[in-house]
Amino acid sequence: MSDQGVPIETIADLVGHAGTSVTEAVYRHQLNPVITKGAHAMNAVFGRSQPR
């Protein structure tokens, strides 16, 4: 689901987790591309095109 852009909060809710920390820990290997994409977007917002 994360590969399709579903927010981590939605995934956590769907699988019955009370918060996102367990979802992130269990599915971290699948979430890494989403987190990386988000980091690149934040860098663009704050004036960097590449993360350090």
Side-chain angles (χ1 to χ4, degrees):
M1 287 188 283
S2 65
D3 288 344
Q4 297 302 313
V6 177
I8 187 67
E9 295 82 7
T10 302
I11 297 169
D13 188 46
L14 289 169
V15 297
H17 296 158
T20 60
S21 60
V22 171
T23 310
E24 291 170 349
V26 172
Y27 302 106
R28 183 172 306 276
H29 62 281
Q30 293 176 344
L31 293 173
N32 189 38
V34 173
I35 293 168
T36 302
K37 186 176 179 181
H40 285 285
M42 291 299 289
N43 285 334
V45 167
F46 291 106
R48 290 189 209 265
S49 60
Q50 297 289 326
R52 288 185 183 193

